[in-house]
Amino acid sequence: MSAAAVGLGRAGVFSPEEDEALMAEALAVGQLGLGRTWPNPSVGAVVVRPTSAGPQILGRAGTAPAGRPHAEPLALAQAGDAARGATLYVTLEPCSHFGRTPPCADAVIAAGITRVVAAVEDPDPRVRGRGVARMRAAGLWVTVGVGAERALEDHAGHISRVTRGRPHVLLKMAVSADGKAGLEGPRPAAITGEEARARVHLMRAHADAIMVGIGTVLADDPQLTVRLPGMEGRSPVRIVLDGDLRLPTTCGLVRTAEQVPVWAIAAEDAPAEREKALVDAGVQVLRAPRAASGRLDLPAVMKLLGLLGVTRLMVEGGPQVAAALLDEGLVDEVAVLRSPDALGAGGLDALAGRPLARLTEPVGFAVVERTELGRDSLMRLRRL
């Protein structure tokens, strides 16, 4: 980072503008790991010292794939002995508990860091301010809140899992100009163009898992993989809500289950012989209770996914799944990709039995992004 970009460090203390710019560096590093570090959050850490030419980055790292090692010890290792007297910028409070790795707060103290700038405190009950307290007790100057707005968005999955026991849920829907999401049959329909589809693939790459209903699989035979050049290895776990285990062993998901994991969530009373056939084909079958309606109990499904470590769940299910999740209050974010073209009378409503406004203007959500993607448009909404 150049002096022109952030100004000059003075006497070991960076200005508020420099703090913001250096935290932006840490956030950018952390974002690279989204979807790859669960069950742990994708944290970014940057070790910096002031020089006469401006801030000098000594170490820069994100949480390693699968969640270990954490970002802080990786960045400190890059900095080596030069970390003594430096400042650490980190997107989430360093942990203070012994898990599979020692506490990051202890590593920060041992490295000789004199100041820590953390974007947000970690709401995990095992941490929740203890890391900050531990470092302050050791004489470090700790600042919390720089870059908090973006950090809360990046760590929404971790925050949801440790506070609510379920993943953060992003509902993505592609909608035609006349409010349709597919054709009768049901049959698939190409609604959006290449730019919109590329954005969807990026969303997938940042998710831990993608979930659809069995109806979508039977109608579309989707791949649910990331197919952006250079990011093909970022495909998340693919999950199918399949109460009666109707998932065909001949479908694309099952045929590729050895390359990209597939989980089928079945009801507790689904046929054992169907489970065996799918397990033999490489699918992991999970069981969840049925609701009074006879369909899978969606809150129980979300709790199950939380227990399994899923933090960021992208839902690409059809109208039935979208409506059910919204009705249960299980959607945290909505991404509506809208085409200027109509599907006509043969199209299926984007939300089964509900007005489209339930999707495009849900109560309790606020618009956080409007973007043109070629001929299509994207509107993102987030729960207030």
Side-chain angles (χ1 to χ4, degrees):
M1 176 176 295
S2 68
V6 293
L8 297 175
R10 293 168 299 281
V13 179
F14 297 110
S15 70
E17 293 76 18
E18 290 167 335
D19 278 350
E20 291 285 349
L22 292 162
M23 182 60 75
E25 290 275 337
L27 287 164
V29 173
Q31 287 156 14
L32 293 174
L34 291 175
R36 306 181 71 193
T37 66
W38 62 285
N40 289 342
S42 183
V43 175
V46 177
V47 180
V48 191
R49 70 177 177 190
T51 72
S52 59
Q56 178 187 7
I57 293 179
L58 307 170
R60 178 195 286 110
T63 304
R68 296 179 187 85
H70 293 181
E72 299 95 322
L74 289 173
L76 291 168
Q78 286 183 22
D81 292 340
R84 191 160 300 278
T87 295
L88 171 70
Y89 291 83
V90 62
T91 62
L92 187 69
E93 174 186 9
C95 63
S96 57
H97 63 287
F98 281 89
R100 295 188 184 178
T101 56
C104 289
D106 287 358
V108 172
I109 295 166
I113 292 288
T114 56
R115 182 179 178 228
V116 174
V117 182
V120 291
E121 288 191 353
D122 189 342
D124 188 326
R126 298 170 298 176
V127 185
R128 203 158 50 193
R130 292 182 179 89
V132 168
R134 198 169 188 144
M135 292 184 294
R136 284 176 174 160
L140 279 67
W141 175 16
V142 182
T143 303
V144 179
V146 177
E149 183 176 358
R150 180 67 210 202
L152 288 171
E153 183 174 344
D154 292 348
H155 296 311
H158 169 70
I159 293 168
S160 179
R161 181 171 175 263
V162 300
T163 61
R164 299 184 294 183
R166 69 164 179 85
H168 175 89
V169 177
L170 163 63
L171 173 63
K172 167 257 160 183
M173 293 289 288
V175 181
S176 67
D178 52 349
K180 310 296 183 180
L183 298 171
E184 290 179 351
R187 293 175 290 127
I191 295 175
T192 54
E194 287 299 323
E195 290 186 41
R197 285 195 285 272
R199 180 65 180 264
V200 170
H201 283 277
L202 187 60
M203 292 179 192
R204 289 177 180 175
H206 290 166
D208 303 345
I210 298 175
M211 188 172 77
V212 298
I214 184 61
T216 294
V217 177
L218 296 176
D220 298 358
D221 194 14
Q223 298 181 55
L224 303 179
T225 52
V226 176
R227 297 187 292 280
L228 291 175
M231 299 185 72
E232 294 86 353
R234 296 287 297 269
S235 294
V237 172
R238 300 168 295 174
I239 301 174
V240 183
L241 294 173
D242 187 12
D244 298 313
L245 284 180
R246 295 186 290 150
L247 189 63
T249 55
T250 56
C251 74
L253 291 178
V254 177
R255 286 187 285 105
T256 59
E258 297 292 346
Q259 289 77 51
V260 181
V262 176
W263 297 354
I265 303 182
E268 294 163 335
D269 59 353
E273 63 273 15
R274 288 294 305 148
E275 176 175 351
K276 183 179 185 307
L278 290 169
V279 170
D280 288 346
V283 175
Q284 183 173 349
V285 176
L286 308 170
R287 300 278 182 161
R290 292 188 189 270
S293 64
R295 297 180 180 274
L296 288 171
D297 183 323
L298 290 177
V301 167
M302 293 301 166
K303 292 289 185 182
L304 173 62
L305 295 180
L307 287 171
L308 292 171
V310 177
T311 68
R312 298 169 64 88
L313 178 67
M314 181 175 174
V315 178
E316 294 196 51
Q320 296 285 351
V321 170
L325 287 169
L326 284 167
D327 288 347
E328 291 282 1
L330 293 171
V331 176
D332 302 298
E333 192 174 341
V334 181
V336 182
L337 292 142
R338 194 149 195 172
S339 166
D341 302 323
L343 285 183
L348 293 176
D349 289 340
L351 276 184
R354 279 81 165 174
L356 186 60
R358 181 76 175 90
L359 177 65
T360 57
E361 299 174 18
V363 175
F365 286 73
V367 176
V368 295
E369 180 184 357
R370 293 183 188 272
T371 304
E372 299 301 315
L373 298 170
R375 296 181 66 243
D376 306 311
S377 63
L378 166 67
M379 178 173 65
R380 277 199 314 129
L381 306 98
R382 192 173 301 129
R383 187 176 292 279
L384 296 171

